[in-house]
Amino acid sequence: MRSLLSSMFLPILGLGLILLSASCGHLSSREEVLPVTAHRVQGLAVDARQGDPAWAKAEPVTLALYDPAMGCPEKTVESIAKEHNPVKVTVRLLHDEKNLYVGCHIENDDVCCLTSEDQQLHFFLGDVMEVFLKPLQTPCYLELYATPSARKTTYFFPSRSWGGPDFLDMQSLMPGFDVVSAVDGTLNDPKDRDEGWWTVMTISKAMVEEKTGVPLEAGRPWQILLAGYARSSHRTFCVNFSYPLQPVLNFHLQEYWGTLVLE
């Protein structure tokens, strides 16, 4: 059963899981959106801190931050400007015959995850990394979550016309999606200052094909969005981030997603 908090928020969501925030981001028309490339490997020792040498061959993607003061009144903007709680997010992608691997490093000073369960709306309850995957030629797509405690969630949308608590409650965790995570600091302890957290999502290509009907393979046109939330007890508002940066803070704007390239 969804938490009361989720039930309160979800009825006002529009396109699937429109992400709520007091801020919005703006994508410059001059900003070039480069493809997100997954380097091909032959086998990978998966660990949260990405110690396998293969990760060094993957080009890092730096995610852009949304301005938490955007749209706020003057005094709130001044208050936020005094804060010094930097967030930096880098992501690397690898793939082999069976899986797509998404390795993330999130620098955040207060890492949290307030649930010990999978298949939750984790962005209400702490820090989250998200991957959206969509075959270009179909309206369906996947939304996958990873958290600092290695809790995870998977959602399948036939199209953006679907959403809401009943639709999401019908879904269960998809087999073939795994998450490992590690925290540099103390999880769920606002009294200290953390350095951040690491996570690797292992996404089965067979699972993706089964759900979408399209193989996740080189030469196929796929879209991707890398996104997430960084919450902190030392910060006024949550910091959101994504690549590519969206014109407004709504991670379901597929027209502004990036291209996934499998080497």
Side-chain angles (χ1 to χ4, degrees), residues 132-147:
F132 295 77
L133 288 171
K134 180 186 178 300
L136 185 61
Q137 65 268 43
T138 69
C140 67
Y141 62 104
L142 300 175
E143 181 178 0
L144 312 171
Y145 299 173
T147 69

Side-chain angles (χ1 to χ4, degrees), residues 100-114:
L100 174 67
Y101 305 96
V102 183
C104 314
H105 183 213
I106 305 93
E107 297 180 17
N108 188 23
D109 67 354
D110 183 24
V111 181
C112 58
C113 180
L114 302 181

Side-chain angles (χ1 to χ4, degrees), residues 1-3 6-7 10 13 15-19 115 117-125 128-135 139-147 151-160 162-177 179 201 203 207-208 210-212 222 229 251-252 254 257:
M1 182 66 65
R2 295 255 172 249
S3 68
S6 299
S7 300
L10 278 171
L13 301 188
L15 300 173
L17 298 179
I18 290 181
L19 307 180
T115 178
E117 299 180 9
D118 292 328
Q119 205 59 19
Q120 301 290 310
L121 291 170
H122 289 113
F123 57 81
F124 283 128
L125 301 168
V128 177
M129 276 299 311
E130 302 187 13
V131 174
F132 295 77
L133 288 171
K134 180 186 178 300
C140 67
Y141 62 104
L142 300 175
E143 181 178 0
L144 312 171
Y145 299 173
T147 69
R151 297 299 93 199
K152 54 195 175 183
T153 293
T154 58
Y155 289 126
F156 170 76
F157 293 91
S159 75
R160 283 181 287 182
W162 294 86
D166 293 336
F167 174 73
L168 298 179
D169 275 332
M170 292 174 60
Q171 302 199 41
S172 57
L173 191 66
M174 300 174 195
F177 178 61
V179 170
M201 305 183 206
I203 304 168
M207 175 199 77
V208 174
E210 178 182 355
K211 298 301 294 187
T212 66
W222 280 82
Y229 291 71
F251 293 162
H252 294 255
Q254 298 161 1
W257 290 4

